[in-house]
Amino acid sequence: MELGLTTFAELYPVGDRPAPSAAERLRQVVDEAVASERAGLEVYGVGEHHRKDFAASAPAVVLAAIAARTERIQLTSAVTVLSSDDPVRVYQDFATLDGLSNGRAELMAGRGSFTESFPLFGYDLSDYDELFEEKLALLLHLREDGPVNWNGKFRAPLRDAIIYPRTDNRPLPVWIAVGGSPESVVRAGLLGLPLAIAIIGGQPARFKPLVDLYHRALAEGGHDKQPVAVHAHGYIADSDEQAVADFYEPYALAMSTIGRERGWGAMTRPQFEALRSKEGSLFVGTADYVAEKIADIRDTLGLDRFMLHTSVGTLPHEKVLHNIELLGEKVAPQVR
């Protein structure tokens, strides 16, 4: 199973520690990706958000900077908000990244967990589902060899268009990223695309029916087995006490901030401890504990990839680097 990290380049202040500037945080992200490769991890992902508490609004640009300093690690968006972007430009960005990285680019297409990009780029939220469906179809069409003829509702038509640059020796890898919608899972399966599931609450075992549904949709679509990945929050330290001491305050701040916007209650310590339990969705603790939890979710869901999202709130850079070291050198060997 592949192991890796994801980030949104978070910019939360914590206690008396101010948030880093966006420029500083982006440079830290590049350093953290380099450290991930050095630790032997297989994949690094950068998300797309368009709000003040995240610095990563242009994942392909950040990933290109990472590509220049790495040689082996897979580089993916986590996710690309395809609904509010132009599939032609998305294809060009990631085909360019693929060339710069010598074939290491991937794209995770999703509808996004926030909605700021829709008014920013002139789209109506009432078209939320239709936008994604049409733009995904075009993106997949653009991967094919030969001229593209396209006519849709949300962009100008294409007539005998070939989009450059092209990827070498393979179509651009496209995953579907979902948050738990059965319709999205079925779409991924019928299209024969790899599936990435964001698990940020509750119990991971409850996603087993969705994974089973995905496999049934793959079979119905006549497709071979495709990879399944999970993205989850977590942090590794030298002791459970240290992991909780480092992670709880930034995590609670971030989740409570987002919760206020969505009408949720503030994150409490009992909720955190329940999520951190063996059955919960938080992977926080020692390398031994986190390895056991990852192995459990791998076996329950039949995973091919697990991506840990550490800076849910903004942790100090040196602590993220130590977390990466532990994930690669302590957790990975046990999981494998």
Side-chain angles (χ1 to χ4, degrees):
M1 183 177 70
E2 294 179 336
L3 288 172
L5 254 74
T6 59
T7 186
F8 301 154
E10 290 84 351
L11 295 171
Y12 292 101
V14 178
D16 296 330
R17 188 177 74 246
S21 68
E24 179 185 3
R25 185 71 190 102
L26 289 169
R27 291 192 294 269
Q28 290 176 354
V29 164
V30 175
D31 288 342
E32 289 162 11
V34 172
S36 296
E37 178 173 272
R38 189 181 305 122
L41 301 175
E42 286 93 355
V43 60
Y44 192 88
V46 178
E48 176 190 346
H49 291 288
H50 301 270
R51 31 187 299 136
K52 66 179 182 180
D53 38 4
F54 303 113
S57 62
V61 178
V62 183
L63 293 169
I66 294 168
R69 292 184 53 193
T70 57
E71 296 179 354
R72 299 177 306 280
I73 197 164
Q74 288 287 115
L75 305 173
T76 186
S77 60
V79 302
T80 295
V81 185
L82 189 60
S83 305
S84 58
D85 212 333
D86 178 7
V88 172
R89 197 60 175 146
V90 168
Y91 180 87
Q92 290 176 321
D93 285 345
F94 281 84
T96 300
L97 173 64
D98 199 60
L100 290 170
S101 65
N102 195 24
R104 292 185 282 135
E106 297 178 354
L107 189 157
M108 288 190 179
R111 292 182 290 185
S113 57
F114 296 95
T115 59
E116 288 84 359
S117 64
F118 289 82
L120 184 64
F121 296 112
Y123 292 103
D124 193 327
L125 275 172
S126 65
D127 297 320
Y128 187 77
D129 293 322
E130 194 177 359
L131 278 164
F132 184 74
E133 185 173 352
E134 179 179 302
K135 293 191 175 195
L136 177 62
L138 176 54
L139 177 65
L140 298 179
H141 198 20
L142 296 173
R143 300 193 306 167
E144 300 172 2
D145 292 330
V148 172
N149 289 285
W150 174 264
N151 189 46
K153 179 178 177 180
F154 299 106
R155 78 168 322 279
L158 296 173
R159 295 290 176 260
D160 294 325
I162 301 177
I163 309 305
Y164 297 103
R166 309 300 299 172
T167 52
D168 288 341
N169 305 317
R170 61 167 190 166
L172 176 69
V174 173
W175 295 58
I176 298 295
V178 305
S181 161
E183 293 80 10
S184 297
V185 167
V186 169
R187 178 191 290 118
L190 293 177
L191 291 170
L193 299 174
L195 179 71
I197 306 171
I199 300 181
I200 58 173
Q203 296 182 342
R206 69 188 174 91
F207 286 84
K208 180 66 164 60
L210 283 179
V211 176
D212 292 341
L213 180 62
Y214 170 66
H215 289 307
R216 291 199 299 273
L218 278 173
E220 184 177 332
H223 303 293
D224 295 333
K225 184 180 183 298
Q226 296 294 318
V228 176
V230 156
H231 159 282
H233 296 159
Y235 173 71
I236 309 156
D238 295 318
S239 68
D240 283 327
E241 295 77 13
Q242 189 64 55
V244 170
D246 290 345
F247 191 75
Y248 173 68
E249 186 179 0
Y251 173 79
L253 171 65
M255 297 303 287
S256 297
T257 299
I258 295 168
R260 282 195 299 271
E261 298 176 8
R262 301 184 178 186
W264 306 339
M267 174 60 60
T268 66
R269 186 59 177 266
Q271 288 174 325
F272 173 81
E273 293 297 342
L275 291 172
R276 200 176 76 84
S277 70
K278 192 173 187 299
E279 295 78 22
S281 60
L282 270 182
F283 293 74
V284 176
T286 63
D288 290 346
Y289 183 67
V290 171
E292 182 179 356
K293 286 195 68 171
I294 293 175
D296 284 346
I297 191 175
R298 175 199 61 199
D299 296 342
T300 299
L301 301 184
L303 298 183
D304 303 279
R305 176 185 288 182
F306 180 88
M307 298 174 290
L308 189 71
H309 193 105
T310 291
S311 284
V312 183
T314 306
L315 285 164
H317 180 49
E318 64 276 8
K319 291 189 178 292
V320 176
L321 292 176
H322 187 52
N323 162 84
I324 291 169
E325 179 182 7
L326 291 171
L327 180 61
E329 298 179 8
K330 302 286 188 180
V331 173
Q334 293 189 60
V335 171
R336 291 172 185 143

